[in-house]
Amino acid sequence: MSLAELGQRYGAGRTTSGFAGTPSTVADRMQEWFEAGACDGFMLQVPYLPGGLEELVPGLVPELQHRGLFRTEYDGSTLRDSLGLPRPAG
């Protein structure tokens, strides 16, 4: 598969209803979808790394936390605890 074919396949699998805007307007849409039962979470994709995350996270995460839609701390001290996975025997 060529790089162009890979790009086309990847692009064809993406959703067409992306959210764009200020942290507040993106949080508005995410909250609307979540409260309507249209989803139980989101997968974020930024157009470039690492700068895209550096632009998105500092504005969006605090806005979602303020609305009670994103955790402010983890449930446990390990990833296993936070995901609710059982501890290994032994």
Side-chain angles (χ1 to χ4, degrees), residues 3-62:
L3 188 56
E5 291 168 330
L6 182 62
Q8 289 172 341
R9 181 175 288 182
Y10 174 76
R14 292 202 45 204
T15 179
T16 57
S17 57
F19 300 163
T22 66
S24 181
T25 59
V26 171
D28 288 343
R29 294 281 309 277
M30 292 173 80
Q31 183 173 8
E32 178 183 317
W33 279 44
F34 181 75
E35 290 178 350
C39 66
D40 63 359
F42 290 90
M43 291 177 47
L44 301 177
Q45 182 174 2
V46 294
Y48 60 97
L49 293 170
L53 288 173
E54 292 167 353
E55 289 182 23
L56 175 72
V57 172
L60 182 59
V61 170

